[in-house]
Amino acid sequence: MTDAELHLAQLVGVFEALKDATTALADGDMETLEVCLAGAGFSLCCAMPEQYTELSPDVWFEKGC
């Protein structure tokens, strides 16, 4: 997998988690919303330089969509 393909895969993870979060919000499902937002944050961290990962909330690494 090239760097560009890896980066795209990471961004797709963010996109999918945010899409699921939007559905959860519309359904009033706060538990799923929390999990999906944490999953989006985790996927975003994977695509960013390490110094941003160190600043990220711990919950992003404890839950996933």
Side-chain angles (χ1 to χ4, degrees), residues 23-57:
T23 300
L25 180 62
D27 293 344
D29 184 350
M30 296 300 112
E31 184 175 325
T32 299
L33 176 63
E34 177 187 15
V35 170
C36 290
L37 289 176
F42 177 78
S43 294
L44 188 59
C45 279
C46 292
M48 298 182 70
E50 189 174 322
Q51 69 262 23
Y52 292 99
T53 302
E54 294 171 2
L55 299 172
S56 302

